[in-house]
Amino acid sequence: MALARPDESDERRLTKRAARETAVVRFAGDSGDGMQLTGAHFTLATAVSGSDLATFPDFPAEIRAPVGTTYGVSAFQINFGARRIKTIGDRPDVLVALNPAALKVNLDDLADGAILLLDSGAFSERNLKKAGYVSDPRADGSLDRLRVVEMDMSALTKEALAGTGLTSREQLRCKNFFALGVVLWMFDRSRQPTIDWLKKKFADRPELAEANIMALDAGHTVAETAELQRMPAFEVGPAPMPQGLYRTVTGHEALSFGLVDGALKAGLPLVFCSYPITPASTLLHDLARLKQFDVTTFQAEDEIAAVAAAIGAAYAGSLGVTSSSGPGIALKGEAIGLAVATELPLVIVNSQRAGPSTGMPTKTEQSDLYQAVFGRNGDTPVVVLAARSPADCFEVAREAVRLAVHHMTPVILLTDGFLANASEPWLVPDIDAVPDFPVRFATADSGPFRPFERDARGVRPWARPGTPGLHHRIGGIEKQAGTGNISYDPANHQAMTDARWNKVLAVADEIPEQTVDQGDDEGALAIVGWGSTHGAISRAVTTQRARGHAVSHVHLRHIWPLPRNLGALLRRFDHVLVPEMNKGQLVTILRSEYLIDAKGLSKVTGKPFTIAELEDRIEAVLSPTLVMEKSA
Amino acid sequence: MNAPLTVEKANLSPKDFATDQEVRWCPGCGDYAILKAVQKTLADIGAQPATTVFVSGIGCAARFPYYVETFGFHTIHGRAPAVATGVKLANPELDVWVVGGDGDMLSIGGNHLMHALRRNVDLNILLFNNEIYGLTKGQYSPTSRVGTRSPSTPKGSIDRPLSALNMALGIGARFVARAIDTQQKALPGILEAAWRHKGASLVEIIQNCIVYNDEAFAAFTERSVEADAQVHVVHGQPLIFGKERDKRLKRSENGYGLEVAPLGEGDPLIHDQTDRVLAGMLAALEPPMPVAVGILLDDPAETSWERAVRAQDAAERRPDADLGAVMRRGATWTA
Ligand code: SF4
């Protein structure tokens, strides 16, 4: 049944390929066109070839937007290269547009000279109108600045599948694999991983596997034969990566593994309670697939029930975890306060999205930092951590578990819509390299049990129901130090408020001192970042340092409490710049904590910082310095 | 996993379930009687302090856990059923009681009560219904009757009250009972039945708030009228009532409701606690019809929710599961 496939090694000899260090490809089409799958397979082929990469899916908020509309466009971007890749890439070098709407939405992101691969078969008058075009962009000169490759992918796919017995509609559904075949050829990537996947996926319906493989091969062949005309061909080599076994991982996948690893190391069953919300829900899905471990997942009736059940589970001696995005975290606020008051361990994951209110659920932002650090009634300190990359979510999740259970405190873990869905190669860690951190529950001693007796670190005992001799009452009403009995005593409230506050601050004794991610620990400019801006800042700083600028990159994992040495470190720089996808939240905390003149760089477009934006700002901050140095 | 729990019955007296905390309800509050009945029930069923947990929300009733010598968790307004759901999910072996008032569980926490009942979490839910907000000083509640004058409704409330028991039945609750704070003889039996029921049990306890809503239930709880104004329902027993035990309940002519008829003319209706339709008709009775007291419905499911969840999870659990191996599964490559 399989089509004869040209031998891939022959092909390589025949084709002249332009070497590139990196390339950014964006696949865009209608949400029904299967762009995410296409992107995922291009990613897999690229990963297997040894290039480093970063990807990001950009799908519409509507589940089934009308076909052909601009708001129904779904896209997937990959940046890959022969060097370490830190971002998804500022601008695509190649845009694959499967319909006019996909072109319209993405056109502005293309730099002059970028390659635009179009399915000309989709550029009917009707589709142009649906996308809001008054004239055909291919004819009115608006694409002149690009390198346009037109191909009637719709017709070519149908032609390739003519003999399969599939309906015309079914044939057209394979168009994305045709497009994939073209792009795989363009970058000299293997089709084999996709073919293997299709055979496995459609094991019950081999005719569908075969049809998709035929479309894939057809795209590949057409690209190859079109080469002599105008089909560009590139060579992007493998990147120098640390040795080991790799896989691709999204932020939420890594987070789910990290939570499970934390639970295993703590010796606790994991009870994960959540309520569906974009973009947090995938964490619930990921954990629901890890039930071979002692994991229970609970889809609660609302956000409040989700956090309340997680608190109930923690009270009963499990690792209670809840997750949401900003609006849901707002609803959980009162209950998080209960966990603070009763000093129960709790992990709260916030996959931030653009706010306020519903905002832009599928777009990323970092605007819940204030909410995490301050967003509750009363003096209600919690530990706040932020993950910087999809792979980093693993370690940060495990760290969140450790701090929660060993300090009897809620820990808020901040990710965002970008981190949740973005993927990157992950050097699969050796989980045994990190020692266990088993929890010791209270057991009955002589004398009455004192649930609010603190140890040297200010931490109270964790007493599970079911333990003989430990029955006691706790609650959100202020408690008498030691006994935990209700107390309205003024001095006691002062003491308990101080104790809760100091307990969380004392976490700083157990976290690493802040290190400099890149550059010297003193100089002209420190860029202080947190969360998913890491990649863009890192690349911008690398480039600026190569130009001889004394700029360093400091990236925070620990948002609250802050690392002990952070203030002293930042004071060793002339300037401190804090880029954030919000109106300046971390920068305000740094200014108030350290009385330093840190400046913010704000971006709230729902899209991550580009490297160029950061470089421009670095140059702007540094240029007066340079001028001063020259005149001195 | 959780520590193994001892299963022997504890041999404790009601007094052993009293804490050293000063009880802070108003003198004469119906909550005192309920506390007494609960402590007696705990002794009767041989409850273990170590494996018994009282979870409450906010309100006068929600202070309850501080006065019971077991584990106790006084949570936040309305959320007790949700917290208790988490407790049961983490450890199904615990005996978990939920205590709250009508404001706590039917207003701010209505959603959680609804879902705890719908899911059939094995909780013993005690709803103290005094038709008023006590702790916040007397505002009308979701069970207050139309026209209730309160600080927030000086001209009388407009909202129609809800029936907790009919709501529970509509949601699909499988144990629905009504009790009265002052009926110290009947109350422990009903509480014990709720405890025996595996799954969510809802007991509405008519509770007099002597300060803000005194005598709200006098029309059917006054000694002088109670025999004629209440019908005590017992499984398999005829639905008869009255000081002279001379009245019976019968299906109304159209078949959709209940009517009162003199005993003697025709057979009395027999109470069947597995009959959801009958339970609904009984729950809906309001003065001047006799108010139904006792176990209206007790029809346990095969298993409770948390046990079903745990069983499903247990089937997937692999004690030798290796996280490292799971992380290395799927498409991988070596650099
Ligand atoms: S206000 Fe009413 S319900 Fe509350 S304690 Fe006083 S009498 Fe009881």
Side-chain angles (χ1 to χ4, degrees), chain B residues 244-263:
Chain B
E244 312 298 334
R245 307 286 292 163
D246 57 350
K247 290 177 220 163
R248 68 180 173 104
L249 288 178
K250 69 176 222 350
R251 286 275 171 111
S252 56
E253 288 306 311
N254 63 16
Y256 296 127
L258 296 172
E259 280 175 1
V260 176
L263 198 61

Side-chain angles (χ1 to χ4, degrees), chain A residues 62-126:
Chain A
E62 289 75 14
I63 302 300
R64 290 270 183 272
V67 177
T69 56
T70 50
Y71 50 93
V73 171
S74 171
F76 183 98
Q77 180 160 321
I78 174 169
N79 182 11
F80 58 103
R83 66 170 190 206
R84 294 312 299 267
I85 295 297
K86 298 178 174 182
T87 73
I88 57 161
D90 286 6
R91 285 161 168 265
D93 300 306
V94 177
L95 172 68
V96 181
L98 292 193
N99 69 7
L103 174 63
K104 182 147 200 214
V105 172
N106 293 291
L107 184 58
D108 285 351
D109 290 345
L110 297 179
D112 291 352
I115 294 162
L116 172 61
L117 179 61
L118 291 180
D119 173 16
S120 54
F123 277 66
S124 63
E125 208 164 307
R126 201 159 149 254

Side-chain angles (χ1 to χ4, degrees), chain A residues 209-429:
Chain A
E210 205 47 51
N212 280 304
I213 294 169
M214 284 163 80
L216 180 76
D217 287 342
H220 199 267
T221 307
V222 167
E224 191 179 17
T225 48
E227 180 206 350
L228 295 176
Q229 287 91 51
R230 23 194 337 199
M231 181 58 71
F234 301 103
E235 171 87 60
V236 179
M241 308 277 278
Q243 280 193 351
L245 184 82
Y246 284 81
R247 57 168 288 172
T248 59
V249 76
T250 67
H252 274 172
E253 282 167 349
L255 226 163
S256 65
F257 293 142
L259 290 173
V260 172
D261 192 32
L264 290 170
K265 287 189 158 50
L268 297 173
L270 171 58
V271 178
F272 183 84
C273 310
S274 194
Y275 180 78
I277 183 170
T278 302
S281 309
T282 47
L283 185 55
L284 173 59
H285 308 169
D286 288 337
L287 278 160
R289 286 195 297 262
L290 290 172
K291 297 281 180 76
Q292 64 269 56
F293 303 99
D294 201 347
V295 172
T296 298
T297 56
F298 171 40
Q299 181 183 317
E301 61 269 25
D302 61 29
E303 296 283 1
I304 301 173
V307 65
I311 291 171
Y315 172 75
S318 288
L319 173 65
V321 183
T322 188
S323 75
S324 191
S325 294
I329 301 293
L331 287 167
K332 295 179 198 290
E334 185 195 10
I336 296 171
L338 175 70
V340 170
T342 51
E343 303 188 42
L344 285 168
L346 178 70
V347 175
I348 305 120
V349 181
N350 179 357
S351 303
Q352 300 166 93
R353 66 188 215 188
S357 184
T358 304
M360 300 194 287
T362 56
K363 303 295 173 194
T364 198
E365 211 162 88
Q366 297 181 301
S367 44
D368 298 342
L369 185 139
Y370 282 166
Q371 183 193 46
V373 178
F374 305 118
R376 291 157 296 280
N377 62 304
D379 286 310
T380 317
V382 300
V383 174
V384 182
L385 306 178
R388 63 168 62 171
S389 69
D392 190 46
C393 285
F394 176 77
E395 263 184 50
V396 178
R398 181 173 59 202
E399 178 72 348
V401 174
R402 185 182 72 88
L403 294 176
V405 299
H406 284 281
H407 295 265
M408 296 294 280
T409 177
V411 175
I412 294 182
L413 195 174
L414 295 172
T415 71
D416 59 40
F418 177 79
L419 282 183
N421 295 305
S423 75
E424 63 181 6
W426 185 36
L427 176 59
V428 182

Side-chain angles (χ1 to χ4, degrees), chain B residues 51 163 191 219 281 292:
Chain B
T51 58
S163 152
L191 295 174
M281 291 189 286

Side-chain angles (χ1 to χ4, degrees), chain B residues 24-31 60-61 130 132-135 207-213:
Chain B
R24 300 211 192 173
W25 290 310
C26 307
C29 174
D31 289 354
C60 294
N130 56 17
I132 208 78
Y133 281 82
L135 201 60
Q207 176 245 328
N208 191 47
C209 170
I210 197 169
V211 174
Y212 294 110
N213 209 13

